[in-house]
Amino acid sequence: MRRPADVVARPGTATLGAIRFTGRSGDPSVASGALTTDVHLAAAGEPDAVDVWTTSRPVAVVDGGRVKYAHDGEVALFAARLPRSDRYAAAVEGLYTELLDLTAATGYRELFRVWQYVEDVNGVNADGVEVYQDFCVGRAKAFERRGGTAAMPAATGVGAHGGGISVHLLAGREPVRHLENPRQVPAYHYPRRYGPKSPSFARATRRGDEVHLSGTAAIVGHRTVFPGDVAGQCRESLRNIEALLGDLAGLDRIKVYVRRAEDVEEVRGSCLRAFPAAAIAFFVVDLCRPDLLVEIEGTWSPVR
Ligand code: 3EB
């Protein structure tokens, strides 16, 4: 539910949480009675964007130490941040184990959407390992100990301009169903050449009649296609989305991540044609494979 930064929740609804995409990252807070967290995704001079998650049910917030969350009896929004580090795997394993334990302990055991924003995602850590791969190692070890591939939800993993690693996730009480894309190898089965541990996410997660679509890029099988060609990558990402969801018309609350600022207008044109009625936000950030230029996510619901 993406709304402009200065728009508050509709009357009669409560705010579960607000994720602000802004000029610096911050630790999550529950001081306002909802969960708030800032993620460094706006470059200097770019406007803020904000995702506000609302509910018609009463909201309770919990300060669980470094993990904060807000919940309404059906759904919970959890957030945490790891400070910038030159080695992430152990800290990520610890944080994800804590998150998975906490979702289970609170009864919100059905993860249906995770976002992770990683500073310097294509850089190398103190051991010469790509930061994204370092992150993937810790995340994979936590899932190996807590539920395995069957527990992996829809996700986004992209760069951030600062702030270490910011994580937020949605989880519910009712069973959800994780989906894979017929055109793509499941990310958790990517071959070893992409890193010592494969990325831990599903291509989409269905919850009720909504489908939460992971960040979707120009990957066919396990290979990046149209390297260097942003128009080709955009087209191929849209094909992947269509193959998974069946239609593009139901997709809304779309976020589009673009690696190169000079590609934004091209990508905007393609996305406005593909999603003429949707709310779309564009962000210029690095993506988790160096050859990816664009990635598209959103929430799908049946067109009425
Ligand atoms: C891909 O398909 C592109 O590591 O959580 C997309 C969505 C990607 C989520 C993640 C990575 C992640 O592999 C990258």
Side-chain angles (χ1 to χ4, degrees):
M1 288 167 241
R2 189 179 171 269
R3 303 182 203 292
D6 56 355
V7 174
V8 297
R10 292 182 302 272
T13 66
T15 301
L16 199 59
I19 315 301
R20 200 151 61 109
F21 300 98
T22 185
R24 55 161 298 168
S25 293
D27 289 324
S29 164
V30 289
S32 69
L35 179 66
T36 58
T37 191
D38 287 356
V39 185
H40 192 176
L41 234 61
E46 282 186 84
D48 289 359
V50 67
D51 268 346
V52 180
W53 295 94
T54 58
T55 169
S56 54
R57 302 160 62 92
V59 171
V61 296
V62 180
D63 184 341
R66 65 177 175 170
V67 177
K68 311 276 198 282
Y69 61 101
H71 62 116
D72 71 356
E74 281 182 356
V75 173
L77 175 66
F78 295 80
R81 185 170 71 96
L82 288 174
R84 180 194 170 92
S85 165
D86 58 11
R87 264 189 205 96
Y88 281 116
V92 167
E93 182 181 356
L95 178 61
Y96 278 66
T97 303
E98 183 178 335
L99 285 165
L100 292 168
D101 285 345
L102 191 56
T103 54
T106 54
Y108 298 99
R109 57 182 63 249
E110 299 277 331
L111 275 65
F112 58 90
R113 193 63 173 84
V114 181
W115 289 264
Q116 34 241 325
Y117 296 96
V118 181
E119 179 180 0
D120 197 23
V121 67
N122 300 134
V124 291
N125 77 358
D127 305 314
V129 175
E130 193 197 11
V131 170
Y132 176 64
Q133 296 181 15
D134 186 13
F135 162 77
C136 280
V137 168
R139 179 175 57 171
K141 287 183 171 170
F143 274 101
E144 278 166 16
R145 298 204 284 152
R146 301 284 191 276
T149 58
M152 295 174 184
T156 293
V158 297
H161 300 308
I165 301 181
S166 299
V167 182
H168 66 279
L169 69 87
L170 288 163
R173 291 185 180 277
E174 299 301 318
V176 298
R177 205 153 64 84
H178 306 304
L179 308 176
E180 286 303 318
N181 192 317
R183 304 183 83 227
Q184 299 183 293
V185 171
Y188 47 79
H189 288 155
Y190 283 166
R192 222 199 111 136
R193 60 189 253 208
Y194 299 104
K197 291 281 186 187
S198 302
S200 311
F201 68 96
R203 298 298 178 184
T205 299
R206 173 181 284 277
R207 178 175 176 270
D209 63 3
E210 281 197 341
V211 180
H212 295 268
L213 174 70
S214 289
T216 304
I219 295 174
V220 179
H222 57 75
R223 290 195 170 79
T224 302
V225 294
F226 297 105
D229 171 2
V230 74
Q233 288 204 5
C234 207
R235 226 169 31 242
E236 209 62 35
S237 301
L238 293 169
R239 276 197 198 120
N240 280 340
I241 294 170
E242 208 160 4
L244 181 58
L245 298 177
D247 73 79
L248 298 181
L251 200 66
D252 201 358
R253 288 131 70 184
I254 296 171
K255 291 193 186 66
V256 182
Y257 305 99
V258 183
R259 178 182 291 277
R260 305 185 300 213
E262 63 268 30
D263 291 338
V264 170
E265 285 319 305
E266 166 79 38
V267 171
R268 191 192 305 275
S270 302
C271 288
L272 293 181
R273 276 192 299 282
F275 308 109
I280 316 182
F282 296 87
F283 302 94
V284 176
V285 283
D286 289 338
L287 304 174
C288 62
R289 281 187 191 182
D291 55 8
L292 289 178
L293 299 176
V294 61
E295 195 173 302
I296 302 170
E297 65 169 67
T299 306
W300 181 94
S301 39
V303 180
R304 297 170 214 282

